[in-house]
Amino acid sequence: MISDTSKNVLIVDDNTSLLHGLKFALENNDFKVLAANNYFEAVQILDTIRPDLIISDINMPGKNGFDLLEYLRKSQTRANVPLIFLTAFHNPELMEKARVMGCEELVYKPVKVGALLSIVRSRLNRAQELETLYTTKTLLNTIEVMAIAIESRDRYTGGHVRRVMNYSVSLARVLDWPTTKIQEVQLVAILHDLGKVVVPDSILNKAGPLNDEEWQIIQKHPVEGEKLIAPLGYDNLPTLSEGLRHHHEKYDGSGYPDGLAGEKIPPVARLLTIADAYDAMTSDRSYRKGMSSNKALQIIEKNIGKHFDPDMATAFINDLLSQQKGEKNECN
Ligand SMILES: [Fe+2]
Protein backbone atom coordinates (compact mmCIF):
# COMPACT_ATOMS: atom_id res chain seq x y z
CA MET A 1 0.00 0.00 0.00
CA ILE A 2 1.30 3.45 -0.91
CA SER A 3 1.62 5.74 2.12
CA ASP A 4 0.84 9.47 2.17
CA THR A 5 4.54 10.15 2.63
CA SER A 6 5.44 8.31 -0.60
CA LYS A 7 7.70 10.24 -2.91
CA ASN A 8 6.60 11.24 -6.44
CA VAL A 9 8.91 9.99 -9.17
CA LEU A 10 8.51 11.03 -12.80
CA ILE A 11 9.82 8.48 -15.33
CA VAL A 12 10.35 9.61 -18.94
CA ASP A 13 11.17 7.05 -21.66
CA ASP A 14 9.96 6.44 -25.23
CA ASN A 15 10.43 2.70 -24.70
CA THR A 16 6.93 1.83 -23.46
CA SER A 17 7.78 -1.61 -22.09
CA LEU A 18 10.76 -0.26 -20.10
CA LEU A 19 8.59 2.64 -18.88
CA HIS A 20 5.89 0.27 -17.62
CA GLY A 21 8.45 -2.12 -16.13
CA LEU A 22 10.11 0.66 -14.12
CA LYS A 23 6.73 2.11 -13.10
CA PHE A 24 5.67 -1.31 -11.79
CA ALA A 25 8.96 -1.82 -9.92
CA LEU A 26 8.88 1.60 -8.25
CA GLU A 27 5.20 1.38 -7.30
CA ASN A 28 5.93 -1.98 -5.70
CA ASN A 29 8.47 -0.15 -3.56
CA ASP A 30 6.06 2.46 -2.23
CA PHE A 31 6.74 5.27 -4.73
CA LYS A 32 4.04 7.25 -6.50
CA VAL A 33 4.96 7.13 -10.18
CA LEU A 34 4.12 9.53 -13.01
CA ALA A 35 4.99 8.25 -16.49
CA ALA A 36 5.71 10.18 -19.70
CA ASN A 37 6.61 8.85 -23.14
CA ASN A 38 8.52 11.92 -24.27
CA TYR A 39 9.78 15.43 -23.42
CA PHE A 40 6.44 17.11 -24.16
CA GLU A 41 4.39 14.80 -21.92
CA ALA A 42 7.01 15.27 -19.19
CA VAL A 43 6.84 19.08 -19.41
CA GLN A 44 3.02 18.91 -19.22
CA ILE A 45 3.29 16.91 -15.99
CA LEU A 46 6.00 19.25 -14.63
CA ASP A 47 3.73 22.25 -15.23
CA THR A 48 1.21 20.87 -12.74
CA ILE A 49 3.23 18.73 -10.32
CA ARG A 50 6.64 19.05 -8.68
CA PRO A 51 8.01 15.50 -8.53
CA ASP A 52 10.59 14.61 -5.87
CA LEU A 53 12.84 13.00 -8.49
CA ILE A 54 12.98 12.42 -12.25
CA ILE A 55 14.34 9.40 -14.12
CA SER A 56 14.73 10.18 -17.81
CA ASP A 57 16.02 8.49 -20.92
CA ILE A 58 18.52 10.59 -22.90
CA ASN A 59 17.72 9.56 -26.47
CA MET A 60 14.09 10.23 -27.33
CA PRO A 61 12.44 11.34 -30.58
CA GLY A 62 11.96 15.12 -30.87
CA LYS A 63 13.40 16.77 -27.79
CA ASN A 64 15.75 14.60 -25.73
CA GLY A 65 16.74 14.15 -22.09
CA PHE A 66 19.22 17.05 -22.18
CA ASP A 67 16.39 19.36 -23.33
CA LEU A 68 14.35 18.16 -20.36
CA LEU A 69 17.29 18.76 -17.97
CA GLU A 70 17.75 22.27 -19.40
CA TYR A 71 14.01 23.01 -18.98
CA LEU A 72 14.21 21.76 -15.40
CA ARG A 73 17.29 23.72 -14.32
CA LYS A 74 15.82 26.95 -15.78
CA SER A 75 12.55 26.48 -13.88
CA GLN A 76 12.05 28.67 -10.79
CA THR A 77 10.25 26.03 -8.77
CA ARG A 78 11.60 22.75 -10.19
CA ALA A 79 15.31 23.60 -10.54
CA ASN A 80 16.35 21.55 -7.50
CA VAL A 81 14.54 18.35 -8.46
CA PRO A 82 17.21 15.63 -8.78
CA LEU A 83 17.41 13.94 -12.18
CA ILE A 84 18.83 10.53 -13.07
CA PHE A 85 19.60 9.78 -16.73
CA LEU A 86 19.15 6.40 -18.35
CA THR A 87 21.29 5.59 -21.39
CA ALA A 88 22.42 2.61 -23.43
CA PHE A 89 25.63 4.33 -24.60
CA HIS A 90 28.92 4.33 -22.66
CA ASN A 91 30.10 7.67 -23.93
CA PRO A 92 32.52 9.81 -21.81
CA GLU A 93 31.46 13.02 -23.60
CA LEU A 94 27.83 12.27 -22.81
CA MET A 95 28.73 11.66 -19.18
CA GLU A 96 30.67 14.92 -18.99
CA LYS A 97 27.83 16.91 -20.58
CA ALA A 98 25.32 15.36 -18.17
CA ARG A 99 27.46 16.24 -15.15
CA VAL A 100 28.08 19.81 -16.31
CA MET A 101 24.33 20.31 -16.77
CA GLY A 102 23.71 19.09 -13.22
CA CYS A 103 22.47 15.54 -13.76
CA GLU A 104 22.80 13.67 -10.46
CA GLU A 105 23.50 10.19 -11.82
CA LEU A 106 23.83 8.23 -15.06
CA VAL A 107 22.42 4.68 -15.11
CA TYR A 108 23.20 2.33 -17.98
CA LYS A 109 20.69 0.12 -19.74
CA PRO A 110 19.78 -2.65 -19.34
CA VAL A 111 18.58 -1.26 -16.04
CA LYS A 112 19.12 -3.36 -12.92
CA VAL A 113 16.08 -2.51 -10.82
CA GLY A 114 17.78 -3.15 -7.44
CA ALA A 115 20.68 -0.82 -8.27
CA LEU A 116 18.32 1.86 -9.63
CA LEU A 117 16.19 1.71 -6.46
CA SER A 118 19.31 2.22 -4.29
CA ILE A 119 20.32 5.26 -6.35
CA VAL A 120 16.77 6.68 -6.25
CA ARG A 121 16.61 6.31 -2.45
CA SER A 122 20.06 7.81 -1.86
CA ARG A 123 19.33 10.80 -4.17
CA LEU A 124 15.98 11.42 -2.45
CA ASN A 125 17.65 11.31 0.99
CA ARG A 126 20.31 13.77 -0.12
CA ALA A 127 17.69 16.12 -1.60
CA GLN A 128 15.73 15.94 1.67
CA GLU A 129 18.87 16.73 3.72
CA LEU A 130 19.65 19.75 1.53
CA GLU A 131 16.08 21.02 1.77
CA THR A 132 16.07 20.68 5.57
CA LEU A 133 19.39 22.52 5.77
CA TYR A 134 18.09 25.32 3.56
CA THR A 135 14.81 25.64 5.50
CA THR A 136 16.61 25.67 8.85
CA LYS A 137 19.11 28.28 7.66
CA THR A 138 16.34 30.51 6.28
CA LEU A 139 14.34 30.19 9.50
CA LEU A 140 17.38 30.99 11.66
CA ASN A 141 18.27 34.01 9.50
CA THR A 142 14.69 35.32 9.78
CA ILE A 143 14.62 34.84 13.54
CA GLU A 144 18.03 36.48 13.87
CA VAL A 145 16.80 39.57 12.01
CA MET A 146 13.80 39.80 14.38
CA ALA A 147 16.00 39.33 17.46
CA ILE A 148 18.44 42.00 16.29
CA ALA A 149 15.47 44.35 15.71
CA ILE A 150 14.34 43.72 19.31
CA GLU A 151 17.90 44.18 20.56
CA SER A 152 18.22 47.51 18.76
CA ARG A 153 15.92 49.04 21.42
CA ASP A 154 18.80 48.61 23.86
CA ARG A 155 21.44 51.05 22.72
CA TYR A 156 24.12 49.52 24.98
CA THR A 157 24.07 45.93 23.78
CA GLY A 158 24.60 46.24 20.02
CA GLY A 159 25.79 42.96 18.52
CA HIS A 160 25.20 41.02 21.79
CA VAL A 161 22.83 38.49 20.19
CA ARG A 162 25.22 37.59 17.39
CA ARG A 163 28.26 37.35 19.70
CA VAL A 164 26.44 35.18 22.25
CA MET A 165 25.30 32.96 19.39
CA ASN A 166 28.87 32.59 18.10
CA TYR A 167 30.32 31.84 21.57
CA SER A 168 27.51 29.36 22.33
CA VAL A 169 27.80 27.47 19.05
CA SER A 170 31.59 27.32 19.37
CA LEU A 171 31.30 25.90 22.89
CA ALA A 172 28.65 23.36 21.85
CA ARG A 173 31.01 22.17 19.10
CA VAL A 174 33.92 21.85 21.54
CA LEU A 175 31.64 19.82 23.82
CA ASP A 176 30.92 17.58 20.83
CA TRP A 177 27.15 18.11 20.92
CA PRO A 178 25.28 16.62 17.93
CA THR A 179 24.41 18.84 14.96
CA THR A 180 20.68 18.99 15.79
CA LYS A 181 21.52 20.12 19.34
CA ILE A 182 23.89 22.77 17.99
CA GLN A 183 21.08 24.13 15.80
CA GLU A 184 18.89 24.33 18.90
CA VAL A 185 21.68 26.14 20.76
CA GLN A 186 21.85 28.65 17.91
CA LEU A 187 18.10 29.30 18.12
CA VAL A 188 18.16 29.64 21.91
CA ALA A 189 21.14 32.00 21.78
CA ILE A 190 19.44 34.21 19.20
CA LEU A 191 16.23 34.44 21.23
CA HIS A 192 17.54 34.27 24.80
CA ASP A 193 16.63 37.88 25.69
CA LEU A 194 13.33 37.93 23.78
CA GLY A 195 11.49 38.70 27.06
CA LYS A 196 13.21 42.08 27.22
CA VAL A 197 10.47 43.40 24.91
CA VAL A 198 8.35 43.88 28.06
CA VAL A 199 11.07 45.93 29.82
CA PRO A 200 10.44 49.70 29.44
CA ASP A 201 12.98 51.71 27.42
CA SER A 202 13.66 53.91 30.46
CA ILE A 203 15.10 50.89 32.30
CA LEU A 204 16.71 49.25 29.30
CA ASN A 205 18.55 52.43 28.35
CA LYS A 206 19.18 53.87 31.81
CA ALA A 207 22.58 55.60 31.91
CA GLY A 208 23.76 54.15 35.20
CA PRO A 209 23.30 51.23 37.61
CA LEU A 210 19.73 50.02 38.15
CA ASN A 211 17.92 50.31 41.49
CA ASP A 212 16.26 47.31 43.19
CA GLU A 213 12.85 47.91 41.65
CA GLU A 214 14.35 48.21 38.16
CA TRP A 215 16.35 45.01 38.69
CA GLN A 216 13.16 43.19 39.64
CA ILE A 217 11.60 44.26 36.34
CA ILE A 218 14.68 43.21 34.35
CA GLN A 219 14.70 39.84 36.11
CA LYS A 220 11.25 39.07 34.73
CA HIS A 221 12.59 38.78 31.17
CA PRO A 222 13.41 35.03 31.21
CA VAL A 223 9.83 34.13 32.24
CA GLU A 224 8.34 36.72 29.87
CA GLY A 225 10.42 35.26 27.02
CA GLU A 226 9.17 31.76 27.82
CA LYS A 227 5.56 33.05 27.80
CA LEU A 228 6.07 34.70 24.41
CA ILE A 229 7.16 31.44 22.76
CA ALA A 230 4.52 29.32 24.55
CA PRO A 231 2.10 29.40 21.56
CA LEU A 232 4.75 27.54 19.53
CA GLY A 233 4.26 24.51 21.82
CA TYR A 234 6.80 23.38 24.42
CA ASP A 235 6.53 19.77 23.30
CA ASN A 236 8.12 20.70 19.98
CA LEU A 237 10.67 23.11 21.34
CA PRO A 238 11.70 22.00 24.86
CA THR A 239 15.28 23.27 24.45
CA LEU A 240 14.06 26.72 23.45
CA SER A 241 11.73 27.13 26.45
CA GLU A 242 14.43 25.78 28.82
CA GLY A 243 17.04 28.12 27.40
CA LEU A 244 14.84 31.20 27.60
CA ARG A 245 13.58 30.50 31.12
CA HIS A 246 16.83 29.36 32.73
CA HIS A 247 19.66 31.35 31.13
CA HIS A 248 20.14 33.38 34.35
CA GLU A 249 20.25 30.39 36.73
CA LYS A 250 23.57 29.87 38.53
CA TYR A 251 25.29 26.56 39.22
CA ASP A 252 25.13 27.07 43.03
CA GLY A 253 21.39 27.82 42.91
CA SER A 254 21.69 31.58 43.50
CA GLY A 255 20.32 32.60 40.08
CA TYR A 256 16.81 33.33 38.82
CA PRO A 257 13.92 32.74 38.10
CA ASP A 258 13.75 29.32 39.81
CA GLY A 259 17.02 29.09 41.74
CA LEU A 260 17.85 25.75 40.08
CA ALA A 261 21.29 24.30 40.89
CA GLY A 262 23.85 22.01 39.23
CA GLU A 263 22.59 19.51 36.70
CA LYS A 264 18.98 20.50 37.42
CA ILE A 265 19.66 23.49 35.20
CA PRO A 266 19.07 22.31 31.61
CA PRO A 267 22.40 21.87 29.71
CA VAL A 268 21.52 24.47 27.05
CA ALA A 269 20.90 27.08 29.78
CA ARG A 270 24.18 26.22 31.57
CA LEU A 271 26.03 26.69 28.28
CA LEU A 272 24.26 29.92 27.37
CA THR A 273 24.92 31.44 30.83
CA ILE A 274 28.67 31.26 30.20
CA ALA A 275 28.52 32.81 26.71
CA ASP A 276 26.08 35.50 27.92
CA ALA A 277 28.20 36.40 30.98
CA TYR A 278 31.44 36.54 28.96
CA ASP A 279 29.90 38.91 26.41
CA ALA A 280 28.31 41.08 29.11
CA MET A 281 31.70 41.44 30.85
CA THR A 282 33.67 42.23 27.70
CA SER A 283 31.13 44.71 26.22
CA ASP A 284 30.93 48.42 27.01
CA ARG A 285 27.97 49.69 29.05
CA SER A 286 26.81 53.26 29.66
CA TYR A 287 28.33 53.23 33.14
CA ARG A 288 31.50 51.20 32.51
CA LYS A 289 33.96 50.07 29.85
CA GLY A 290 34.05 46.41 28.86
CA MET A 291 36.90 44.47 30.47
CA SER A 292 39.61 42.56 28.63
CA SER A 293 39.02 38.98 27.50
CA ASN A 294 41.68 37.68 29.90
CA LYS A 295 40.12 39.42 32.88
CA ALA A 296 36.64 38.06 31.95
CA LEU A 297 38.05 34.53 31.59
CA GLN A 298 39.71 34.85 35.02
CA ILE A 299 36.33 35.82 36.53
CA ILE A 300 34.66 32.86 34.82
CA GLU A 301 37.41 30.57 36.19
CA LYS A 302 36.94 32.02 39.69
CA ASN A 303 33.21 31.28 39.47
CA ILE A 304 33.50 27.69 38.28
CA GLY A 305 31.09 25.66 40.42
CA LYS A 306 29.51 28.87 41.76
CA HIS A 307 27.93 30.54 38.76
CA PHE A 308 29.09 28.18 36.05
CA ASP A 309 29.07 24.47 35.20
CA PRO A 310 32.67 23.28 35.84
CA ASP A 311 33.13 21.18 32.67
CA MET A 312 31.48 23.71 30.36
CA ALA A 313 33.29 26.71 31.84
CA THR A 314 36.66 24.95 31.61
CA ALA A 315 35.95 24.02 27.97
CA PHE A 316 34.86 27.62 27.24
CA ILE A 317 38.05 29.10 28.75
CA ASN A 318 40.27 26.64 26.85
CA ASP A 319 38.33 27.27 23.62
CA LEU A 320 38.67 31.06 23.89
CA LEU A 321 42.35 30.85 24.84
CA SER A 322 43.15 28.54 21.93
CA GLN A 323 41.22 30.82 19.53
CA GLN A 324 43.18 33.83 20.80
CA LYS A 325 46.44 31.90 20.48
CA GLY A 326 45.49 30.96 16.89
CA GLU A 327 44.72 34.59 16.04
CA LYS A 328 48.04 35.69 17.54
CA ASN A 329 49.97 33.09 15.52
CA GLU A 330 48.22 34.22 12.34
CA CYS A 331 49.34 37.80 12.97
CA ASN A 332 52.97 36.82 13.59
FE1 LIG B 1 19.09 37.61 29.68
Side-chain angles (χ1 to χ4, degrees), residues 160 192-194 196 218 221-222 244 247-248 256 272 276:
H160 175 69
H192 72 280
D193 275 340
L194 181 70
K196 281 192 178 169
I218 282 269
H221 80 270
L244 263 62
H247 74 275
H248 284 288
Y256 62 92
L272 189 61
D276 195 21

Side-chain angles (χ1 to χ4, degrees), residues 94-105:
L94 211 69
M95 283 172 68
E96 183 58 22
K97 186 178 174 186
R99 283 207 185 96
V100 168
M101 287 183 70
C103 158
E104 266 69 22
E105 195 94 31

Side-chain angles (χ1 to χ4, degrees), residues 4 39 54 83 107 196 280:
D4 285 343
Y39 168 94
I54 300 171
L83 184 141
V107 173
K196 281 192 178 169

Side-chain angles (χ1 to χ4, degrees), residues 74-324:
K74 281 183 180 167
S75 158
Q76 281 196 343
T77 52
R78 317 289 196 248
N80 296 330
V81 176
L83 184 141
I84 297 169
F85 267 150
L86 303 178
T87 181
F89 304 103
H90 288 253
N91 179 337
E93 278 176 29
L94 211 69
M95 283 172 68
E96 183 58 22
K97 186 178 174 186
R99 283 207 185 96
V100 168
M101 287 183 70
C103 158
E104 266 69 22
E105 195 94 31
L106 226 124
V107 173
Y108 291 104
K109 295 179 183 179
V111 177
K112 289 182 180 129
V113 172
L116 180 65
L117 280 169
S118 302
I119 293 168
V120 165
R121 288 195 180 107
S122 102
R123 288 298 162 191
L124 283 170
N125 285 342
R126 183 71 191 132
Q128 182 67 57
E129 281 168 14
L130 289 173
E131 198 169 318
T132 306
L133 261 179
Y134 177 77
T135 311
T136 308
K137 200 166 172 2
T138 308
L139 181 69
L140 283 172
N141 286 345
T142 310
I143 291 171
E144 189 182 346
V145 168
M146 286 161 53
I148 288 171
I150 292 167
E151 183 190 57
S152 68
R153 282 180 60 226
D154 183 344
R155 72 180 118 122
Y156 300 117
T157 57
H160 175 69
V161 162
R162 183 161 292 164
R163 290 191 301 270
V164 170
M165 180 181 79
N166 290 338
Y167 296 137
S168 303
V169 167
S170 181
L171 179 54
R173 286 201 180 114
V174 168
L175 294 170
D176 218 12
W177 286 12
T179 309
T180 48
K181 201 79 189 160
I182 292 174
Q183 281 173 348
E184 289 172 12
V185 165
Q186 200 174 351
L187 188 61
V188 172
I190 291 170
L191 290 175
H192 72 280
D193 275 340
L194 181 70
K196 281 192 178 169
V197 290
V198 302
V199 178
D201 284 352
S202 56
I203 298 178
L204 217 50
N205 291 312
K206 187 177 175 187
L210 302 176
N211 63 35
D212 286 351
E213 195 187 335
E214 289 163 340
W215 263 119
Q216 276 175 16
I217 293 169
I218 282 269
Q219 287 182 356
K220 285 181 183 167
H221 80 270
V223 173
E224 294 299 333
E226 189 195 25
K227 277 191 214 161
L228 283 168
I229 58 142
L232 299 174
Y234 290 163
D235 290 349
N236 297 328
L237 299 160
T239 310
L240 184 58
S241 63
E242 287 168 355
L244 263 62
R245 184 176 181 99
H246 298 297
H247 74 275
H248 284 288
E249 305 284 3
K250 290 179 180 167
Y251 202 74
D252 61 4
S254 64
Y256 62 92
D258 298 321
L260 297 184
E263 309 240 323
K264 287 201 171 137
I265 306 168
V268 71
R270 273 182 270 148
L271 180 142
L272 189 61
T273 302
I274 302 166
D276 195 21
Y278 174 80
D279 190 64
M281 286 189 278
T282 52
S283 305
D284 293 339
R285 290 286 186 272
S286 58
Y287 50 93
R288 60 146 174 85
K289 285 287 287 175
M291 63 181 70
S292 71
S293 172
N294 277 347
K295 177 80 184 149
L297 292 179
Q298 279 169 16
I299 292 174
I300 290 177
E301 193 173 21
K302 219 170 144 185
N303 284 287
I304 280 177
K306 293 178 194 160
H307 292 184
F308 307 117
D309 175 295
D311 293 340
M312 289 186 188
T314 306
F316 182 81
I317 293 167
N318 291 337
D319 184 32
L320 261 277
L321 288 177
S322 75
Q323 281 183 36
Q324 286 164 7

